Amino acid sequence: EFEEVKETKSGNRQTIAYSTTSIDTEVAMELNSFSKENLAMAFYGTESVTTGAAVVGEAHTVYALNEAIPLANVKVSAVVVDDNLGSPLTEGVDYTVDLLTGVITFISDANIALPESITVDYTFADQETIIGFSEGQKEYAVMFVGKNVHTGKAVKVLLPRVVMSVAETLELISDTTISLAVTGKALIDCNDEVMNITKEA
């Protein structure tokens, strides 16, 4: 940020002084790894790993045909759906289930009265979960290690303190390879250092 001082003699308000009032460094990264750690960082979230298990009596309500009903887990198997009277419904007749995403879709109301309460029994495989916006702001140390493609010389950039901003977008459908764009602000550390760049001579 800069401060401009204008003269008042000529009437043209020309600049007579231009000085720096503050210095900031922004950090921008394109993450190609959609790991649970990167997603948690980008969306101020917490990550966890859940061991596969069996679920009994998970409750849902069917309001309309062709409505997507997401189970609490993904990569499911041995799915059994009962109506509110405890009568099993038939896959392919009453509903379909996407085993990979754990989404049930009712295709017929012949054996249910909408809206209908249902329970679902199933098993699920090991999976990772990220709960977004469940954590506050965090600081990270960021290190970039690269090579100049023209000279072949190595470079290392170390930012000892970086506060990441919440990612503005999460692109889920694209014609090209998707990356996760995150930005942040580099802060000064206890040694009055913001950035350390080491280059091969």
Side-chain angles (χ1 to χ4, degrees), residues 141-174:
V142 176
M143 182 173 67
F144 169 80
V145 178
K147 181 185 291 185
N148 187 311
V149 296
H150 298 292
T151 65
K153 294 183 177 181
V155 60
K156 179 176 67 179
V157 180
L158 177 62
L159 305 170
R161 294 182 63 208
V162 175
V163 173
M164 305 307 299
S165 301
V166 175
E168 294 184 3
T169 59
L170 177 60
E171 190 175 6
L172 299 177
I173 299 176
S174 175

Side-chain angles (χ1 to χ4, degrees), residues 93-189:
V93 175
D94 299 300
Y95 66 91
T96 61
V97 57
D98 186 325
L99 297 177
L100 183 61
T101 61
V103 173
I104 295 175
T105 304
F106 271 79
I107 57 177
S108 171
D109 58 358
N111 296 311
I112 58 175
L114 299 176
E116 179 79 88
S117 298
I118 61 169
T119 59
V120 186
D121 300 341
Y122 63 93
T123 59
F124 64 91
D126 295 353
Q127 52 202 269
E128 299 174 345
T129 302
I130 300 95
I131 307 297
F133 310 109
S134 57
E135 289 283 320
Q137 188 182 75
K138 292 182 179 180
E139 287 188 13
Y140 298 88
V142 176
M143 182 173 67
F144 169 80
V145 178
K147 181 185 291 185
N148 187 311
V149 296
H150 298 292
T151 65
K153 294 183 177 181
V155 60
K156 179 176 67 179
V157 180
L158 177 62
L159 305 170
R161 294 182 63 208
V162 175
V163 173
M164 305 307 299
S165 301
V166 175
E168 294 184 3
T169 59
L170 177 60
E171 190 175 6
L172 299 177
I173 299 176
S174 175
D175 294 331
T176 59
T177 302
I178 294 175
S179 61
L180 183 60
V182 293
T183 60
K185 182 84 69 175
L187 308 177
I188 196 168
D189 69 0

Side-chain angles (χ1 to χ4, degrees), residues 31-54:
L31 306 181
N32 295 117
S33 172
F34 278 65
S35 66
K36 65 182 185 301
E37 293 84 3
N38 283 347
L39 286 169
M41 177 186 67
F43 295 101
Y44 286 13
T46 53
E47 75 274 4
S48 62
V49 177
T50 304
T51 303

